[in-house]
Amino acid sequence: MTELFLNGLSPFVFWLLVLTAGFTSLFTASFGAGGGVMLLGVMAQVLPPQLIIPLHGVAQLGSNAGRAAMSWRHIDWRLIGLFLPGAIVGALLGQLVLEALDPSVMYLSIALFILFLCWGPKLPKLVLGKFGTLMAGAMTTFLTLFVGATGPLVAAFIKQVFVDRFRTVATFATAMSLQHVLKIAVFEQAGFPIGSWMPLLLCMVVSGAIGTWFGLKVLKRVSDKHFHHIFNIILSLLAVRLIWQAWLAY
């Protein structure tokens, strides 16, 4: 029974992932963003490359869907209606090349993406019209199949559209939920057995919900001036290790 529950993982790795899901959700709720990238970096250290992106997607779906459900009155459905068709196109295009990816490419793409988010230039302003929304949906959904945590890219787009913070949070959570649903569908189509990982995923979703609650209630006013610098250094060290793993897997 225990072996079925752990699905081949050691108890240490299982509970490390569960606790990390809670901490990273707490981090996102407290500081606004970054938890998804941190969770991705930790998962990439302890899981085989073919498991990282699909399991990360399901865990993040639970987190984003919860926020979307709690703030559904503020969702801008017009933007979602433009974002979704582009996201579907991006998922279909990504599916064509997904199965051809070598493990070393997966490790390297995640590492470079993390380093770009930590130390790269600020994202340029995106076109905010209908075409820009379609392209944002397509490009970020395509990328999420290979690098996982594209939340900062989607947030960079949506924050340029809305001034109202409630509408921004609700629409962002909905867009990310739809993107993760498409990502999960692509990996299911590719033969990934998500069902066998449900014990881990359910524990991560529950842990994430608890972390979000504590983040909103306890750490909402905590200054993040120094924390973000430490956060970037930790993620960069994880990225360097991933580059080394990519070299070994090449």
Side-chain angles (χ1 to χ4, degrees):
M1 186 66 182
T2 303
E3 291 295 326
L4 182 64
F5 188 79
L6 296 176
N7 200 22
L9 298 179
S10 69
F12 172 78
V13 170
F14 184 96
W15 293 113
L16 172 67
L17 293 175
V18 172
L19 293 175
T20 301
F23 173 76
T24 53
S25 293
L26 183 150
F27 185 91
T28 298
S30 302
F31 302 109
V37 182
M38 180 182 285
L39 178 61
L40 179 72
V42 173
M43 293 179 77
Q45 308 302 312
V46 296
L47 294 175
Q50 69 272 16
L51 301 180
I52 299 167
I53 305 300
L55 294 185
H56 179 269
V58 178
Q60 290 296 98
L61 172 60
S63 176
N64 284 286
R67 286 200 302 274
M70 289 186 286
S71 56
W72 66 270
R73 290 183 178 85
H74 301 283
I75 298 171
D76 189 298
W77 292 107
R78 183 192 63 83
L79 185 142
I80 295 298
L82 293 170
F83 184 89
L84 181 57
I88 293 174
V89 171
L92 292 174
L93 291 175
Q95 185 177 5
L96 297 177
V97 297
L98 180 64
E99 296 182 27
L101 268 189
D102 185 86
S104 61
V105 176
M106 184 73 78
Y107 281 134
L108 189 61
S109 61
I110 294 173
L112 294 178
F113 183 71
I114 289 174
L115 290 174
F116 174 79
L117 291 178
C118 289
W119 309 107
K122 292 183 178 181
L123 296 171
K125 287 190 174 182
L126 301 172
V127 179
L128 304 181
K130 294 181 179 181
F131 180 74
T133 305
L134 285 167
M135 289 301 296
M139 290 188 295
T140 58
T141 304
F142 179 86
L143 288 173
T144 196
L145 294 171
F146 308 103
V147 299
T150 54
L153 298 178
V154 178
F157 171 77
I158 291 180
K159 285 178 181 178
Q160 294 175 52
V161 179
F162 304 118
V163 176
D164 179 72
R165 64 188 179 95
F166 292 102
R167 182 170 291 188
T168 299
V169 169
T171 307
F172 170 69
T174 304
M176 291 305 299
S177 297
L178 293 172
Q179 193 172 87
H180 286 307
V181 167
L182 291 171
K183 176 164 59 177
I184 293 166
V186 169
F187 280 100
E188 281 275 13
Q189 184 67 27
F192 183 82
I194 290 178
S196 63
W197 291 95
M198 288 311 295
L200 170 65
L201 294 170
L202 287 175
C203 289
M204 291 179 71
V205 168
V206 171
S207 177
I210 295 172
T212 297
W213 189 87
F214 275 107
L216 293 174
K217 297 293 183 181
V218 181
L219 297 177
K220 190 174 182 180
R221 299 180 180 179
V222 174
S223 172
D224 61 349
K225 180 179 179 181
H226 301 295
F227 198 86
H228 274 299
H229 186 64
I230 298 172
F231 170 69
N232 285 345
I233 292 175
I234 293 173
L235 282 180
S236 297
L237 292 174
L238 294 176
V240 170
R241 186 174 186 273
L242 286 174
I243 293 173
W244 175 249
Q245 288 177 274
W247 173 262
L248 293 178
Y250 179 68

